[in-house]
Amino acid sequence: MIGRLTLSDFRNHADALILPDHAFILLTGDNGAGKTNILEAVSMLAPGRGLRGASLSAMARQDGAGGFGIAADVDGVVLGTGINPGAPERRQVRIGGVTSSANALADHLSITWLTPAMDRLFLDSPGGRRRFLDRLTLALHPGHAAHSARYEAAMRARNRLLSDVRRADPAWLGALEAQMNEHGTALAAARADMVSHLNAMLTDQPDAPFARPLVAIAADDDAGEPLDSRLARERRRDAAAGRTLSGPHRHDLSVIHAAKRQAAALCSTGEQKALLLSILLAHAALIAGHRGQPPVLLLDEVAAHLDPLRRTALFDRLAATGGQIWMTGTESSLFSDLSSATRLTVTAGHVFSSAT
C-alpha cells in the first residue's frame, strides 16, 4: 500500500501531503476542487499516461514553473515521477532513489481504476477497450508494458518504411516484422492468460447485486500463421492503407452479460456500470492471489449512482480485496457506511483531514 503520497505543482495542487492510515482513502469536495487530480497522481505511479491519458505538460500546474513531481512510499521503497520545466514531455522516474524506467514501476505497484469517462467503455472505440484490457493485463504481468512499447516502436518504424514500399529494404522490414512477432506474441499470450484467469474468477461471482460478465478477446489473427509471415505477405496492403492492419494492436475486448447472454454494448447504462464493477472486483481478487499483493484501486465518483443496497455491497466487496482503495465523491454521506477510513476534504487544490 501507499504509506505516504506527496505532490508538487501537479494540476491544481501546489503541494499536498497525504498519509493514509486505513485501507480506504475517501476524498470529498465540490466539483473542480482537485479530487480526481489526486487519483490521477496515484495512477502516474504506474506505466503509461495515467487515468486521463493526458500529455505530461498538461499535468503541470498552470501557475507553476512548468514541471511537477509525485512521490510515494510503497512498503519502504520510494517511487517518484515527474517532469522538469525544460523538458515538459520527458518523464523522469526514480525508484529507491535510482533513475529507472516507467515500465519498472509495475514491479512495485499494481494500480487499476474506474472513472466516469469509462462508463461508455463498451460503446466507444476498440482502442479504449484495448487500453483497459492492457491495464488489467499489466497488473498480472508487469513485463507487459515493455513488450507493448517495443511492439509499438517496431510497428511505427515499419509503417514509415512502407510509406515508400518500392524503396524499402526487405531485410530491414523483415527484422522489424520479426520484432513485432516476438513482442506481439508475448502481448497476445499475456492478454489471453489474464482473460482466462479473470473468467475463472468471474464464474464464482453471483449474478447479483452486480451483473456477472463473460470476457473474451476479439481478434482476426490467423492462429495458424506466425505474425511476421502474415506481415510480410501484407506489406503492399498495409502500404496502401498507410498503417499495419494485422496484429495484436487490433485486438478488442468483448464482454457479455452472462445472465442475459447479451453484449455489454446492448445493455442499459446501469448494467454496463455493474459489469465494469464486476470485472474490477474479480480482477482485484485475481491479482491478490497471483502476485500476493492486491492492487491499489482508484474509483472516481463510483458510489454516486448506486442505490444503498449496491453501495453497501460494493464497499463489502472492496474491503474483501485486502487492497488500498482511493475513492472520490462530492458528498461525504455516500461513505457513511464505512466505519474505518482516511477521510479527506479537498478544496481548491488543498487537502484537509475530515472529521470521522
Side-chain angles (χ1 to χ4, degrees), residues 195-236:
V195 165
S196 175
H197 283 94
L198 183 62
N199 276 325
M201 296 295 299
L202 287 165
T203 57
D204 295 331
Q205 288 193 0
D207 288 327
F210 301 110
R212 183 167 61 87
L214 299 173
V215 183
I217 297 172
D220 63 354
D221 295 341
D222 185 348
E225 183 180 17
L227 179 59
D228 52 350
S229 298
R230 186 174 182 182
L231 292 172
R233 177 168 53 81
E234 296 176 348
R235 286 174 186 172
R236 290 196 175 276

Side-chain angles (χ1 to χ4, degrees), residues 122 129 132 213-216 253-257 262-265 275 279:
F122 302 121
R129 290 186 292 275
F132 178 64
L214 299 173
V215 183
L253 177 66
S254 170
V255 177
I256 302 293
H257 189 305
Q262 186 176 60
L275 289 168
I279 290 172

Side-chain angles (χ1 to χ4, degrees), residues 1-2 22-25 75 109-110 280-289 292-297 314-326:
M1 296 188 181
I2 296 171
H22 293 92
F24 283 90
I25 299 94
D75 297 329
L109 202 59
S110 301
L280 193 76
L281 291 166
H283 180 261
L286 169 63
I287 299 308
Q293 171 198 38
V296 172
L297 301 181
L314 174 62
F315 294 160
D316 289 343
R317 293 279 298 276
L318 289 172
T321 68
Q324 191 176 56
I325 320 295
W326 296 66

Side-chain angles (χ1 to χ4, degrees), residues 4-200:
R4 176 188 177 98
L5 177 72
T6 59
L7 311 182
S8 299
D9 281 336
F10 186 83
R11 294 289 188 178
N12 69 330
H13 294 275
D15 59 77
L17 171 63
I18 297 176
L19 301 170
D21 54 3
H22 293 92
F24 283 90
I25 299 94
L26 310 179
L27 303 161
T28 58
D30 294 338
N31 293 326
K35 304 183 300 296
T36 304
N37 293 342
I38 293 173
L39 298 193
E40 184 182 27
V42 176
S43 74
M44 290 300 294
L45 298 171
R49 291 296 178 94
L51 59 80
R52 285 190 175 107
S55 65
L56 293 170
S57 58
M59 300 178 193
R61 190 166 63 93
Q62 289 186 357
D63 297 330
F68 70 81
I70 303 165
D73 186 303
V74 180
D75 297 329
V77 178
V78 177
L79 310 181
T81 189
I83 60 173
N84 289 326
E89 291 302 333
R90 184 178 178 183
R91 183 179 180 183
Q92 297 186 357
V93 174
R94 294 178 70 84
I95 299 176
V98 178
T99 300
S100 187
S101 69
N103 290 338
L105 291 167
D107 294 327
H108 298 268
L109 202 59
S110 301
I111 304 176
T112 55
W113 53 77
L114 192 60
T115 69
M118 294 170 64
D119 286 352
R120 290 187 53 83
L121 183 73
F122 302 121
L123 303 177
D124 285 342
S125 69
R129 290 186 292 275
R130 191 164 51 249
R131 286 188 291 274
F132 178 64
L133 171 64
D134 282 337
R135 177 59 53 193
L136 300 180
T137 303
L138 176 63
L140 185 62
H141 297 285
H144 189 67
H147 285 296
S148 180
R150 290 166 186 164
Y151 176 87
E152 293 286 341
M155 182 173 64
R156 287 194 299 270
R158 177 179 182 267
N159 289 343
R160 286 194 296 270
L161 280 180
L162 288 178
S163 63
D164 189 354
V165 67
R166 291 173 298 179
R167 296 185 180 182
D169 182 352
W172 194 355
L173 279 170
L176 292 170
E177 288 160 356
Q179 290 180 41
M180 291 178 66
N181 180 64
E182 175 188 354
H183 299 296
T185 299
L187 282 179
R191 288 170 179 166
D193 182 65
M194 191 283 297
V195 165
S196 175
H197 283 94
L198 183 62
N199 276 325

